[in-house]
Amino acid sequence: MASKAIVLITGGNSGVGFGLASELLTRGTYHVLLGSRSSEKGRKAVEDLRARHQPHSEAVEMLQIDVTDDNSIEKAAETVQRNHGKVDVIINNAGISAMDLPLRQAMREAFDVNAAGPAAVVKAFAPLLQKSTMTSPPPRIINVSSGAGSISRCLDPTSPLYGMLGYQYRSTKAALNMVTACHWVEYGPKIKVFAFDPGFTISNLSSHNKAENGARSAEESAGSLVDVIEGKRDDEAGMFLHNTGRYPW
Ligand SMILES: NC(=O)c1ccc[n+]([C@@H]2O[C@H](COP(=O)([O-])OP(=O)(O)OC[C@H]3O[C@@H](n4cnc5c(N)ncnc54)[C@H](OP(=O)(O)O)[C@@H]3O)[C@@H](O)[C@H]2O)c1
């Protein structure tokens, strides 16, 4: 039997990350490293997934990782090196909206998690990604961005996001898009790199992320992310994707 692809998901204990872990376990061909900054929340999430996916219960493990803490990132990379010797897919999913904070604090905290975090995670895990022997599909980095981070959409009066504020979220996702472009230049095309917007999803991101406001389930949003993991959109590597198409940077 072919060995399972090893997938790191940061912020995997809730929302989109948790939904993605669940979808991957359903398939039976992935080993999920469920990243969580809180070991307690991470352990609970893993228990929940193991109960839901009995036949594949060994295919998920908790990895403590706080993307704002370089020691935590280094320790996580050492653990993966020791236990698996490689990683095949990095999903930089951890993110915050930093709403309801004073502007400067919101900007700093959001930048640290949403942009500096993914850059630091990839720097620490790149040697493990380069040890991936996967060829079909090849190894990949997926940075979970948002259409709210598209500068072109922000300036387009016909966009539904025109006039939407949230400086800290929009600007840090725009910064993440630039991190993604840099990742593609540095690691592509051998490693496929994407920015991906999962769409409006039920999660803990903000009080607005609820079904009654039109948000869809995390499992549904994760489905289109699985397509990117499985190589179905590799002809769009180096681009900013959403579930049905692409956004302009
Ligand atoms: N939901 C949407 O509509 C939507 C739309 C577009 C893009 N996105 C993006 O999707 C990603 C996932 O968000 P979500 O909607 O699923 O929200 P969520 O339920 O709040 O999940 C965010 C995850 O990130 C984790 N996290 C926050 N700070 C962290 C840190 N310093 N280190 C490690 N993990 C950290 C959270 O951990 P804790 O549980 O400990 O807080 C949580 O596990 C984000 O990047 C978000 O911007 C979401």
Side-chain angles (χ1 to χ4, degrees):
M1 198 176 81
S3 64
K4 290 183 161 100
I6 297 176
V7 184
L8 166 65
I9 307 173
T10 64
N13 58 283
S14 92
V16 173
F18 183 83
L20 176 62
S22 187
E23 282 302 296
L24 291 177
L25 289 175
T26 304
R27 281 159 171 82
T29 50
Y30 296 94
H31 185 91
V32 176
L33 306 174
L34 185 139
S36 179
R37 65 174 160 174
S38 151
S39 299
E40 196 191 335
K41 283 189 194 175
R43 272 195 289 271
K44 273 197 188 126
V46 166
E47 270 173 32
D48 186 351
L49 288 168
R50 286 186 171 158
R52 290 186 199 196
H53 300 280
Q54 279 294 338
H56 310 296
S57 62
E58 292 311 307
V60 56
E61 65 184 278
M62 201 273 290
L63 187 69
Q64 197 281 328
I65 182 165
D66 179 337
V67 304
T68 64
D69 177 348
D70 288 339
N71 284 331
S72 155
I73 296 172
E74 283 305 329
K75 238 177 99 186
E78 281 163 23
T79 303
V80 177
Q81 166 62 43
R82 203 168 46 247
N83 295 344
H84 301 283
K86 62 152 191 169
V87 70
D88 299 302
V89 179
I90 296 175
I91 313 287
N92 272 311
N93 166 75
I96 58 169
S97 63
M99 277 158 79
D100 307 325
L101 292 174
L103 180 66
R104 184 175 298 279
Q105 188 188 352
M107 294 285 288
R108 282 183 173 152
E109 291 187 14
F111 198 88
D112 208 7
V113 179
N114 296 350
V121 167
V122 168
K123 190 167 192 313
F125 279 82
L128 289 165
L129 200 54
Q130 280 155 340
K131 286 187 189 150
S132 169
T133 49
M134 296 234 323
T135 49
S136 181
R140 58 204 53 234
I141 299 166
I142 303 174
N143 293 329
V144 180
S145 187
S146 165
S150 162
I151 294 175
S152 305
R153 293 184 92 211
C154 179
L155 295 171
D156 175 3
T158 67
S159 161
L161 296 184
Y162 185 73
M164 177 188 138
L165 297 179
Y167 287 75
Q168 77 291 346
Y169 191 66
R170 298 199 79 162
S171 58
T172 57
K173 289 297 186 181
L176 174 62
N177 289 347
M178 179 57 89
V179 168
T180 307
C182 292
H183 283 160
W184 175 237
V185 170
E186 184 168 2
Y187 302 110
K190 196 167 170 226
I191 292 171
K192 304 295 177 199
V193 179
F194 305 86
F196 184 83
D197 176 350
F200 188 36
T201 306
I202 299 167
S203 78
N204 295 331
L205 191 65
S206 81
S207 56
H208 189 61
N209 288 73
K210 292 190 169 32
E212 59 262 36
N213 295 323
R216 59 184 186 211
S217 74
E219 284 72 14
E220 199 182 327
S221 294
S224 48
L225 196 39
V226 173
D227 285 348
V228 182
I229 293 173
E230 294 193 328
K232 292 185 184 145
R233 299 186 65 181
D234 277 4
D235 53 339
E236 297 172 285
M239 297 182 193
F240 181 12
L241 312 185
H242 59 82
N243 59 342
T244 54
R246 288 176 217 157
Y247 283 134
W249 297 107

